Coordinates of all heavy atoms in Angstrom, one line a residue:
M13 N -148.0 134.2 222.5 CA -148.7 135.1 223.4 C -147.7 135.5 224.5 O -146.9 134.7 225.0 CB -149.8 134.4 224.0 CG -150.7 135.3 224.8 SD -152.0 134.4 225.8 CE -151.9 132.8 225.1
D14 N -147.7 136.8 224.9 CA -146.8 137.3 225.9 C -147.5 137.3 227.2 O -148.1 138.3 227.6 CB -146.4 138.7 225.5 CG -145.1 139.2 226.1 OD1 -144.3 138.3 226.3 OD2 -145.0 140.4 226.4
C15 N -147.4 136.2 227.9 CA -148.1 136.0 229.2 C -147.1 135.7 230.3 O -146.4 134.7 230.2 CB -149.2 134.9 229.1 SG -149.9 134.6 230.7
I16 N -147.0 136.6 231.2 CA -146.0 136.5 232.3 C -146.2 135.2 233.1 O -145.2 134.5 233.4 CB -146.0 137.7 233.2 CG1 -144.9 137.7 234.2 CG2 -147.3 137.9 233.9 CD1 -143.6 138.3 233.8
F17 N -147.4 134.8 233.4 CA -147.6 133.6 234.2 C -147.4 132.3 233.4 O -147.0 131.3 234.0 CB -149.0 133.6 234.9 CG -149.1 134.6 236.0 CD1 -150.3 134.7 236.7 CD2 -148.0 135.4 236.4 CE1 -150.4 135.6 237.8 CE2 -148.1 136.3 237.5 CZ -149.4 136.4 238.2
C18 N -147.6 132.3 232.1 CA -147.2 131.2 231.3 C -145.7 131.0 231.4 O -145.2 129.9 231.6 CB -147.6 131.4 229.8 SG -149.3 131.0 229.4
K19 N -145.0 132.1 231.3 CA -143.5 132.0 231.3 C -143.0 131.5 232.6 O -142.1 130.7 232.7 CB -142.9 133.4 230.9 CG -143.1 133.7 229.5 CD -142.6 135.1 229.1 CE -142.8 135.4 227.7 NZ -142.6 136.9 227.4
I20 N -143.6 132.0 233.7 CA -143.2 131.6 235.1 C -143.5 130.2 235.3 O -142.7 129.4 235.7 CB -143.8 132.5 236.1 CG1 -143.3 133.9 236.1 CG2 -143.7 131.9 237.5 CD1 -143.9 134.9 237.1
S21 N -144.7 129.7 234.9 CA -145.2 128.4 235.3 C -144.5 127.3 234.5 O -144.3 126.2 235.0 CB -146.7 128.3 235.1 OG -147.1 128.3 233.8
V22 N -143.9 127.6 233.3 CA -143.2 126.6 232.6 C -141.7 126.8 232.8 O -140.9 126.0 232.2 CB -143.5 126.5 231.1 CG1 -145.0 126.3 230.9 CG2 -143.1 127.8 230.4
G23 N -141.3 127.7 233.6 CA -139.8 127.9 234.0 C -139.0 128.7 233.0 O -137.8 128.8 233.1
E24 N -139.8 129.4 232.1 CA -139.1 130.3 231.1 C -138.5 131.5 231.8 O -137.5 132.1 231.4 CB -140.1 130.7 230.0 CG -139.4 131.0 228.7 CD -140.5 131.3 227.7 OE1 -141.3 130.4 227.4 OE2 -140.6 132.4 227.2
I25 N -139.2 132.0 232.8 CA -138.7 133.1 233.7 C -138.4 132.4 235.0 O -139.3 131.8 235.6 CB -139.7 134.2 233.9 CG1 -140.0 134.9 232.6 CG2 -139.3 135.2 235.0 CD1 -141.1 136.0 232.7
P26 N -137.1 132.4 235.4 CA -136.8 131.7 236.6 C -137.2 132.4 237.9 O -136.7 133.4 238.3 CB -135.2 131.6 236.6 CG -134.8 132.8 235.7 CD -136.0 133.1 234.8
V27 N -138.2 131.8 238.6 CA -138.6 132.2 239.9 C -138.7 130.9 240.7 O -138.8 129.8 240.1 CB -140.0 132.9 240.0 CG1 -140.0 134.1 239.0 CG2 -141.1 132.0 239.6
E28 N -138.6 131.0 242.0 CA -138.8 129.8 242.9 C -140.2 129.3 242.8 O -141.1 130.1 243.2 CB -138.4 130.1 244.3 CG -138.4 128.9 245.2 CD -138.6 129.2 246.7 OE1 -138.5 130.4 247.1 OE2 -138.8 128.3 247.5
L29 N -140.4 128.1 242.3 CA -141.8 127.5 242.4 C -141.9 126.8 243.7 O -141.1 125.9 244.0 CB -142.0 126.6 241.2 CG -141.9 127.2 239.8 CD1 -142.1 126.1 238.7 CD2 -142.9 128.3 239.6
V30 N -142.9 127.2 244.5 CA -143.2 126.5 245.7 C -144.0 125.3 245.5 O -144.2 124.4 246.4 CB -143.8 127.5 246.8 CG1 -142.9 128.6 247.1 CG2 -145.2 128.0 246.3
H31 N -144.6 125.1 244.3 CA -145.2 123.9 243.9 C -145.0 123.8 242.4 O -145.1 124.8 241.7 CB -146.7 123.9 244.2 CG -147.4 122.7 243.6 ND1 -147.5 121.5 244.3 CD2 -148.1 122.5 242.5 CE1 -148.1 120.6 243.6 NE2 -148.5 121.2 242.4
D32 N -144.6 122.6 241.9 CA -144.4 122.4 240.5 C -144.9 121.0 240.1 O -144.2 120.0 240.2 CB -142.9 122.5 240.2 CG -142.6 122.5 238.7 OD1 -143.5 122.6 237.9 OD2 -141.4 122.4 238.4
G33 N -146.2 121.0 239.7 CA -146.9 119.7 239.3 C -147.1 119.7 237.8 O -146.6 120.6 237.1
E34 N -147.7 118.6 237.4 CA -147.9 118.4 236.0 C -148.9 119.5 235.4 O -148.6 120.0 234.3 CB -148.5 117.0 235.7 CG -148.6 116.7 234.2 CD -149.3 115.3 234.0 OE1 -149.4 114.5 235.0 OE2 -149.8 115.1 232.9
N35 N -149.9 119.9 236.2 CA -150.9 120.8 235.7 C -150.9 122.1 236.4 O -151.5 123.1 235.9 CB -152.3 120.2 235.9 CG -152.5 118.8 235.3 OD1 -152.2 118.7 234.1 ND2 -152.9 117.9 236.1
V36 N -150.3 122.2 237.6 CA -150.4 123.4 238.4 C -149.0 123.8 239.0 O -148.3 122.9 239.4 CB -151.4 123.1 239.6 CG1 -151.5 124.3 240.6 CG2 -152.8 122.8 239.1
A37 N -148.8 125.1 239.0 CA -147.6 125.6 239.6 C -148.0 126.7 240.6 O -149.1 127.2 240.6 CB -146.6 126.2 238.6
A38 N -147.0 127.0 241.6 CA -147.3 128.0 242.6 C -146.0 128.8 242.9 O -144.9 128.1 242.9 CB -147.9 127.4 243.8
F39 N -146.1 130.1 243.1 CA -145.0 130.9 243.4 C -145.4 132.1 244.3 O -146.6 132.4 244.3 CB -144.3 131.4 242.1 CG -145.3 131.9 241.1 CD1 -145.6 133.3 241.1 CD2 -145.9 131.1 240.1 CE1 -146.5 133.8 240.2 CE2 -146.8 131.6 239.2 CZ -147.1 133.0 239.2
N40 N -144.4 132.7 244.9 CA -144.8 133.8 245.8 C -145.2 135.0 245.0 O -144.6 135.3 243.9 CB -143.6 134.1 246.7 CG -143.4 133.1 247.8 OD1 -144.3 132.7 248.5 ND2 -142.1 132.6 247.9
D41 N -146.2 135.8 245.5 CA -146.6 137.0 244.8 C -145.4 138.0 244.9 O -144.8 138.1 246.0 CB -147.8 137.6 245.5 CG -148.5 138.6 244.6 OD1 -148.0 139.7 244.4 OD2 -149.6 138.3 244.1
L42 N -145.2 138.8 243.8 CA -144.2 139.8 243.8 C -144.4 140.9 244.8 O -143.5 141.5 245.3 CB -144.2 140.4 242.4 CG -143.1 141.3 241.9 CD1 -141.8 140.5 241.8 CD2 -143.4 141.8 240.5
A43 N -145.7 141.2 245.1 CA -146.1 142.3 246.0 C -147.0 141.8 247.0 O -148.2 142.0 247.0 CB -146.7 143.4 245.2
P44 N -146.4 141.0 248.0 CA -147.3 140.3 248.9 C -148.2 141.2 249.8 O -147.7 142.2 250.3 CB -146.3 139.5 249.8 CG -145.0 140.1 249.6 CD -145.0 140.8 248.3
Q45 N -149.4 140.8 249.9 CA -150.4 141.6 250.7 C -150.6 140.9 252.1 O -151.5 141.3 252.8 CB -151.7 141.6 250.0 CG -151.7 142.2 248.6 CD -151.2 143.6 248.6 OE1 -151.8 144.5 249.3 NE2 -150.2 144.0 247.8
A46 N -149.9 139.9 252.4 CA -150.0 139.1 253.7 C -148.7 138.4 253.9 O -147.9 138.2 252.9 CB -151.2 138.2 253.6
P47 N -148.4 137.9 255.1 CA -147.1 137.2 255.3 C -147.0 136.0 254.4 O -145.9 135.7 254.0 CB -147.3 136.8 256.8 CG -148.2 137.8 257.4 CD -149.1 138.2 256.4
T48 N -148.1 135.3 254.1 CA -148.1 134.3 253.1 C -149.0 134.8 252.0 O -150.2 135.1 252.2 CB -148.7 133.0 253.6 OG1 -147.8 132.4 254.6 CG2 -148.8 131.9 252.5
H49 N -148.4 135.0 250.8 CA -149.2 135.4 249.6 C -148.6 134.7 248.4 O -147.6 135.1 247.8 CB -149.2 136.9 249.4 CG -150.1 137.4 248.4 ND1 -150.3 138.7 248.1 CD2 -150.9 136.7 247.5 CE1 -151.2 138.9 247.1 NE2 -151.6 137.6 246.7
I50 N -149.3 133.6 248.1 CA -148.8 132.7 247.0 C -149.9 132.7 245.9 O -151.1 132.8 246.1 CB -148.7 131.2 247.6 CG1 -147.5 131.2 248.6 CG2 -148.4 130.2 246.5 CD1 -147.5 129.9 249.4
L51 N -149.4 132.7 244.6 CA -150.2 132.6 243.5 C -150.2 131.1 243.0 O -149.1 130.6 242.7 CB -149.8 133.6 242.4 CG -149.8 135.0 242.8 CD1 -149.2 135.9 241.7 CD2 -151.2 135.5 243.2
I52 N -151.3 130.5 242.8 CA -151.4 129.1 242.3 C -152.0 129.2 240.9 O -153.1 129.8 240.7 CB -152.3 128.3 243.3 CG1 -151.7 128.3 244.7 CG2 -152.5 126.9 242.8 CD1 -152.6 127.9 245.8
V53 N -151.4 128.7 239.9 CA -151.8 128.9 238.5 C -151.8 127.5 237.8 O -151.0 126.6 238.0 CB -150.8 129.8 237.8 CG1 -150.7 131.2 238.5 CG2 -149.4 129.2 237.5
P54 N -152.7 127.4 236.8 CA -152.7 126.3 235.9 C -151.5 126.5 234.9 O -151.2 127.6 234.6 CB -154.0 126.4 235.1 CG -154.3 127.9 235.1 CD -153.8 128.4 236.4
K55 N -150.9 125.4 234.5 CA -149.8 125.6 233.5 C -150.3 125.9 232.1 O -149.6 126.6 231.4 CB -148.9 124.3 233.5 CG -148.1 124.2 234.8 CD -146.9 123.2 234.7 CE -146.0 123.3 235.9 NZ -144.9 122.4 235.9
A56 N -151.5 125.5 231.8 CA -152.1 125.8 230.6 C -152.7 127.2 230.7 O -153.2 127.6 231.7 CB -153.2 124.8 230.2
H57 N -152.6 128.0 229.6 CA -153.2 129.4 229.6 C -154.7 129.4 229.5 O -155.2 128.9 228.6 CB -152.5 130.2 228.5 CG -153.0 131.6 228.6 ND1 -152.4 132.6 229.3 CD2 -154.1 132.2 228.0 CE1 -153.1 133.7 229.2 NE2 -154.1 133.5 228.4
H58 N -155.3 130.0 230.5 CA -156.7 130.4 230.5 C -156.8 131.8 231.1 O -156.2 132.0 232.1 CB -157.6 129.4 231.3 CG -157.5 128.0 230.7 ND1 -158.3 127.6 229.7 CD2 -156.7 126.9 231.1 CE1 -158.0 126.3 229.4 NE2 -157.0 125.9 230.2
A59 N -157.6 132.6 230.5 CA -157.6 134.0 230.9 C -158.1 134.2 232.3 O -157.7 135.2 233.0 CB -158.4 134.9 229.8
N60 N -159.1 133.4 232.7 CA -159.7 133.6 234.0 C -160.2 132.2 234.5 O -160.2 131.2 233.7 CB -160.7 134.6 234.0 CG -161.8 134.3 233.0 OD1 -162.5 133.3 233.1 ND2 -162.1 135.2 232.0
V61 N -160.6 132.2 235.7 CA -161.1 130.9 236.3 C -162.4 130.4 235.7 O -162.6 129.2 235.6 CB -161.2 131.0 237.8 CG1 -162.4 131.9 238.3 CG2 -161.3 129.6 238.5
G62 N -163.2 131.3 235.1 CA -164.4 130.8 234.4 C -164.0 130.0 233.2 O -164.6 128.9 233.0
D63 N -163.1 130.5 232.4 CA -162.7 129.8 231.2 C -162.0 128.5 231.6 O -162.2 127.4 231.0 CB -161.7 130.6 230.4 CG -162.3 131.8 229.7 OD1 -163.6 132.0 229.8 OD2 -161.6 132.6 229.1
L64 N -161.2 128.5 232.7 CA -160.5 127.3 233.1 C -161.5 126.3 233.6 O -161.4 125.1 233.3 CB -159.5 127.7 234.3 CG -158.8 126.5 235.0 CD1 -157.9 125.8 234.0 CD2 -158.1 127.0 236.2
A65 N -162.5 126.7 234.3 CA -163.5 125.8 234.9 C -164.3 125.0 233.8 O -164.7 123.9 233.9 CB -164.5 126.5 235.8
I66 N -164.5 125.8 232.7 CA -165.2 125.1 231.5 C -164.3 124.1 230.8 O -164.7 123.0 230.5 CB -165.7 126.2 230.5 CG1 -166.8 127.0 231.2 CG2 -166.1 125.6 229.2 CD1 -167.2 128.3 230.5
A67 N -163.0 124.5 230.6 CA -162.1 123.7 229.9 C -161.6 122.5 230.7 O -161.4 121.4 230.2 CB -160.9 124.6 229.4
S68 N -161.3 122.8 232.0 CA -160.6 121.8 232.8 C -161.0 121.9 234.3 O -160.3 122.3 235.1 CB -159.0 122.0 232.8 OG -158.6 122.0 231.4
P69 N -162.3 121.5 234.6 CA -162.8 121.6 235.9 C -161.9 120.9 237.0 O -161.7 121.4 238.1 CB -164.2 121.0 235.9 CG -164.2 120.3 234.6 CD -163.3 120.9 233.7
A70 N -161.3 119.8 236.6 CA -160.5 119.1 237.6 C -159.2 119.9 238.0 O -158.8 119.8 239.2 CB -160.0 117.7 237.0
V71 N -158.8 120.7 237.1 CA -157.6 121.6 237.5 C -158.0 122.6 238.5 O -157.1 123.0 239.4 CB -157.0 122.2 236.2 CG1 -155.8 123.2 236.6 CG2 -156.4 121.1 235.3
V72 N -159.2 123.1 238.5 CA -159.6 124.1 239.5 C -159.6 123.4 240.8 O -159.1 123.9 241.8 CB -161.1 124.6 239.2 CG1 -161.5 125.6 240.3 CG2 -161.1 125.3 237.8
G73 N -160.1 122.2 240.9 CA -160.0 121.4 242.2 C -158.6 121.2 242.6 O -158.3 121.3 243.8
E74 N -157.7 120.9 241.7 CA -156.3 120.6 242.0 C -155.7 121.9 242.6 O -154.9 121.8 243.5 CB -155.6 120.2 240.7 CG -154.2 119.6 241.0 CD -153.6 119.1 239.7 OE1 -154.3 118.6 238.8 OE2 -152.3 119.1 239.6
M75 N -156.1 123.1 242.0 CA -155.5 124.3 242.6 C -155.9 124.5 244.1 O -155.1 124.9 244.9 CB -156.0 125.5 241.7 CG -155.4 125.5 240.3 SD -156.3 126.6 239.2 CE -155.6 128.2 239.7
F76 N -157.1 124.1 244.4 CA -157.5 124.2 245.8 C -156.8 123.1 246.7 O -156.5 123.4 247.9 CB -159.0 124.1 246.0 CG -159.7 125.4 245.6 CD1 -160.4 125.6 244.4 CD2 -159.7 126.5 246.5 CE1 -161.0 126.8 244.1 CE2 -160.3 127.7 246.2 CZ -161.0 127.8 245.0
Q77 N -156.5 122.0 246.1 CA -155.8 121.0 246.8 C -154.4 121.5 247.1 O -153.8 121.3 248.2 CB -155.7 119.7 246.0 CG -157.0 118.9 245.9 CD -156.9 117.7 245.0 OE1 -155.8 117.4 244.5 NE2 -158.0 117.0 244.8
V78 N -153.8 122.2 246.1 CA -152.4 122.7 246.3 C -152.5 123.8 247.4 O -151.6 123.9 248.2 CB -151.9 123.3 244.9 CG1 -150.6 124.1 245.2 CG2 -151.6 122.1 244.0
A79 N -153.5 124.6 247.4 CA -153.6 125.7 248.4 C -153.7 125.1 249.8 O -153.0 125.5 250.7 CB -154.9 126.5 248.1
A80 N -154.5 124.0 249.9 CA -154.6 123.4 251.3 C -153.2 122.7 251.7 O -152.8 122.8 252.8 CB -155.7 122.3 251.2
A81 N -152.5 122.1 250.7 CA -151.3 121.5 251.0 C -150.2 122.5 251.4 O -149.4 122.3 252.4 CB -150.8 120.7 249.8
L82 N -150.2 123.7 250.7 CA -149.2 124.7 251.0 C -149.5 125.3 252.4 O -148.6 125.6 253.2 CB -149.2 125.8 249.9 CG -148.6 125.4 248.5 CD1 -148.9 126.4 247.5 CD2 -147.1 125.1 248.6
A83 N -150.8 125.5 252.7 CA -151.2 126.1 254.0 C -150.8 125.2 255.1 O -150.2 125.6 256.1 CB -152.7 126.4 254.0
A84 N -151.0 123.9 254.9 CA -150.7 122.9 255.9 C -149.2 122.8 256.1 O -148.7 122.8 257.2 CB -151.2 121.5 255.5
A85 N -148.4 122.8 255.0 CA -147.0 122.8 255.1 C -146.4 123.9 255.8 O -145.3 123.8 256.5 CB -146.4 122.7 253.7
R86 N -147.1 125.1 255.8 CA -146.6 126.3 256.5 C -147.2 126.4 257.9 O -146.9 127.4 258.6 CB -147.0 127.5 255.6 CG -146.0 127.7 254.5 CD -146.6 128.6 253.4 NE -145.6 128.8 252.3 CZ -145.2 127.8 251.5 NH1 -145.7 126.6 251.5 NH2 -144.3 128.1 250.5
G87 N -148.0 125.4 258.3 CA -148.6 125.4 259.6 C -149.6 126.5 259.8 O -149.9 126.9 261.0
L88 N -150.2 127.0 258.7 CA -151.2 128.0 258.9 C -152.5 127.4 259.5 O -152.9 126.3 259.2 CB -151.6 128.6 257.5 CG -150.5 129.2 256.7 CD1 -151.0 129.8 255.4 CD2 -149.7 130.3 257.5
D89 N -153.1 128.2 260.5 CA -154.3 127.6 261.1 C -155.6 128.1 260.4 O -156.7 127.7 260.7 CB -154.4 127.9 262.6 CG -154.4 129.4 262.9 OD1 -154.4 130.2 261.9 OD2 -154.5 129.7 264.1
G90 N -155.4 128.9 259.4 CA -156.5 129.4 258.5 C -155.9 130.1 257.3 O -154.8 130.5 257.3
Y91 N -156.7 130.1 256.3 CA -156.2 130.8 255.1 C -157.4 131.3 254.2 O -158.5 130.8 254.3 CB -155.3 129.9 254.3 CG -155.9 128.6 253.7 CD1 -156.4 128.6 252.5 CD2 -155.9 127.5 254.5 CE1 -157.0 127.4 252.0 CE2 -156.4 126.3 254.0 CZ -157.0 126.3 252.7 OH -157.5 125.1 252.3
R92 N -157.1 132.2 253.3 CA -158.1 132.8 252.5 C -157.7 132.5 251.0 O -156.5 132.7 250.7 CB -158.3 134.3 252.7 CG -159.4 134.9 252.0 CD -159.8 136.2 252.7 NE -158.8 137.2 252.6 CZ -158.8 138.3 251.8 NH1 -159.8 138.4 250.9 NH2 -157.8 139.2 251.8
T93 N -158.6 132.2 250.2 CA -158.3 132.0 248.7 C -159.2 132.9 247.9 O -160.4 133.1 248.2 CB -158.6 130.5 248.3 OG1 -159.8 130.1 248.9 CG2 -157.5 129.6 248.8
V94 N -158.6 133.5 246.9 CA -159.4 134.5 246.1 C -159.0 134.4 244.6 O -157.9 134.2 244.2 CB -159.0 136.0 246.5 CG1 -159.7 137.0 245.6 CG2 -159.5 136.2 247.9
F95 N -160.0 134.4 243.8 CA -159.9 134.5 242.3 C -160.5 135.9 242.0 O -161.7 136.1 242.2 CB -160.7 133.5 241.5 CG -160.0 132.1 241.4 CD1 -160.5 131.0 242.1 CD2 -159.0 131.9 240.5 CE1 -160.0 129.8 241.9 CE2 -158.4 130.7 240.3 CZ -158.9 129.6 241.1
N96 N -159.8 136.8 241.4 CA -160.4 138.0 240.8 C -160.6 137.7 239.3 O -159.8 137.1 238.6 CB -159.4 139.2 240.9 CG -159.1 139.6 242.3 OD1 -160.1 139.5 243.2 ND2 -157.9 139.9 242.7
T97 N -161.8 138.0 238.9 CA -162.2 137.8 237.5 C -162.7 139.0 236.8 O -163.7 139.6 237.2 CB -163.3 136.7 237.4 OG1 -162.8 135.5 238.0 CG2 -163.6 136.3 235.9
G98 N -161.9 139.5 235.8 CA -162.3 140.7 235.1 C -161.6 142.0 235.7 O -161.4 142.0 237.0
E99 N -161.3 142.9 234.9 CA -160.6 144.1 235.3 C -161.4 144.9 236.4 O -160.8 145.4 237.3 CB -160.4 145.0 234.1 CG -159.2 146.0 234.2 CD -158.9 146.7 232.9 OE1 -159.5 146.2 231.8 OE2 -158.2 147.6 232.9
S100 N -162.7 144.9 236.2 CA -163.5 145.7 237.2 C -163.5 145.0 238.6 O -163.9 145.7 239.6 CB -165.0 145.8 236.7 OG -165.5 144.6 236.5
A101 N -163.1 143.8 238.6 CA -163.0 143.1 239.9 C -161.6 143.0 240.4 O -161.3 142.3 241.4 CB -163.6 141.7 239.8
G102 N -160.7 143.7 239.8 CA -159.3 143.8 240.3 C -158.4 142.8 239.6 O -157.2 142.7 240.0
Q103 N -158.8 142.1 238.6 CA -157.9 141.2 237.9 C -156.9 142.0 237.0 O -157.4 142.9 236.3 CB -158.6 140.2 237.0 CG -157.7 139.1 236.4 CD -158.4 138.1 235.6 OE1 -159.6 138.1 235.3 NE2 -157.6 137.1 235.1
S104 N -155.6 141.8 237.2 CA -154.6 142.6 236.5 C -153.7 141.7 235.6 O -153.1 142.2 234.7 CB -153.8 143.4 237.4 OG -153.1 142.6 238.3
V105 N -153.7 140.4 235.9 CA -153.0 139.4 235.1 C -154.0 138.5 234.5 O -154.7 137.8 235.3 CB -151.9 138.7 235.9 CG1 -151.2 137.7 235.0 CG2 -150.9 139.7 236.4
F106 N -154.0 138.4 233.2 CA -155.1 137.6 232.6 C -154.7 136.2 232.2 O -154.8 135.7 231.0 CB -155.7 138.4 231.4 CG -156.4 139.6 232.0 CD1 -155.7 140.8 232.2 CD2 -157.8 139.6 232.4 CE1 -156.4 141.9 232.8 CE2 -158.4 140.6 233.0 CZ -157.7 141.8 233.2
H107 N -154.1 135.5 233.2 CA -153.9 134.1 233.2 C -154.4 133.7 234.6 O -154.0 134.2 235.6 CB -152.4 133.8 233.1 CG -152.0 132.4 233.2 ND1 -151.2 131.7 232.3 CD2 -152.2 131.4 234.2 CE1 -151.0 130.5 232.6 NE2 -151.6 130.3 233.8
A108 N -155.4 132.8 234.6 CA -156.1 132.4 235.8 C -155.1 132.2 237.0 O -154.1 131.5 236.8 CB -157.0 131.2 235.6
H109 N -155.4 132.7 238.2 CA -154.6 132.5 239.3 C -155.4 132.6 240.6 O -156.2 133.4 240.7 CB -153.4 133.5 239.4 CG -153.8 134.9 239.2 ND1 -154.1 135.5 238.0 CD2 -153.9 135.9 240.2 CE1 -154.4 136.8 238.2 NE2 -154.3 137.0 239.5
L110 N -155.1 131.7 241.5 CA -155.7 131.7 242.8 C -154.8 132.3 243.8 O -153.6 131.8 244.0 CB -156.0 130.2 243.2 CG -156.6 129.9 244.6 CD1 -158.0 130.6 244.7 CD2 -156.8 128.4 244.8
H111 N -155.2 133.4 244.5 CA -154.4 134.0 245.6 C -154.6 133.1 246.8 O -155.7 132.8 247.2 CB -154.9 135.4 245.9 CG -154.7 136.4 244.8 ND1 -153.6 137.3 244.8 CD2 -155.4 136.7 243.7 CE1 -153.7 138.1 243.8 NE2 -154.8 137.7 243.0
L112 N -153.5 132.7 247.5 CA -153.5 132.1 248.8 C -152.9 133.0 249.8 O -151.7 133.4 249.6 CB -152.8 130.8 248.7 CG -152.4 130.1 250.1 CD1 -153.7 129.7 250.8 CD2 -151.5 128.9 249.9
Ligands
5GP25 P1 -154.7 140.0 240.2 O1 -154.8 141.5 240.5 O2 -154.7 139.8 238.7 O3 -155.8 139.2 240.9 O4 -153.4 139.5 240.8 C1 -152.2 139.6 240.1 C2 -151.1 139.4 241.1 O5 -149.9 139.1 240.4 C3 -150.8 140.6 241.9 O6 -150.9 140.3 243.3 C4 -149.3 141.0 241.6 O7 -148.6 141.4 242.7 C5 -148.8 139.7 241.0 N1 -147.8 139.8 240.0 C6 -147.8 140.5 238.9 N2 -146.7 140.3 238.1 C7 -146.0 139.4 238.8 C8 -144.7 138.8 238.5 O8 -144.1 139.0 237.5 N3 -144.3 137.9 239.4 C9 -145.0 137.5 240.5 N4 -144.4 136.6 241.4 N5 -146.2 138.1 240.8 C10 -146.7 139.0 240.0
ZN26 ZN1 -150.7 132.5 230.4

């Protein structure tokens, strides 16, 4: 499967990972919409967060733990997290990802 976020999360495409865990990776968005705009992804391929939640609910929780840790490490006093699901809702990469 030709999935850009699979390749990034396993290191096949070299980008700086700001988090690199067993199940979850995170990296800066290519086109940031805010001073901090990080994408947090499962290392396993799931097309969207609904599929991920069914297959691996603990990984969804882990993604939010990573978001909180990254925000704290950057000294943010608040942050927003977004999952877009489906093309009509703005999803353009069909590997589940949490925007921070
Ligand atoms: P979506 O629209 O699917 O919710 O979000 C996809 C996000 O992935 C967009 O914010 C876009 O800028 C980002 N993106 C797309 N391709 C790449 C890439 O190759 N590298 C990185 N770092 N971000 C990407
Ligand atoms: Zn993938």
Side-chain angles (χ1 to χ4, degrees):
M13 190 188 349
D14 200 33
C15 172
I16 185 88
F17 287 180
C18 278
K19 290 177 179 166
I20 289 174
S21 67
V22 301
E24 207 175 299
I25 293 177
V27 304
E28 184 204 351
L29 296 179
V30 298
H31 174 84
D32 188 12
E34 188 184 341
N35 304 310
V36 175
F39 48 89
N40 289 310
D41 197 291
L42 192 64
Q45 304 296 308
T48 296
H49 188 176
I50 295 170
L51 300 174
I52 301 166
V53 305
K55 288 199 170 177
H57 181 86
H58 297 278
N60 58 57
V61 68
D63 288 358
L64 174 64
I66 290 167
S68 304
V71 173
V72 179
E74 194 176 329
M75 292 166 77
F76 282 104
Q77 289 175 4
V78 169
L82 289 169
R86 282 161 177 71
L88 303 181
D89 61 359
Y91 62 91
R92 186 158 67 102
T93 44
V94 174
F95 279 108
N96 295 322
T97 302
E99 206 170 347
S100 62
Q103 187 177 5
S104 61
V105 177
F106 293 88
H107 176 128
H109 53 280
L110 178 61
H111 292 261
L112 167 64

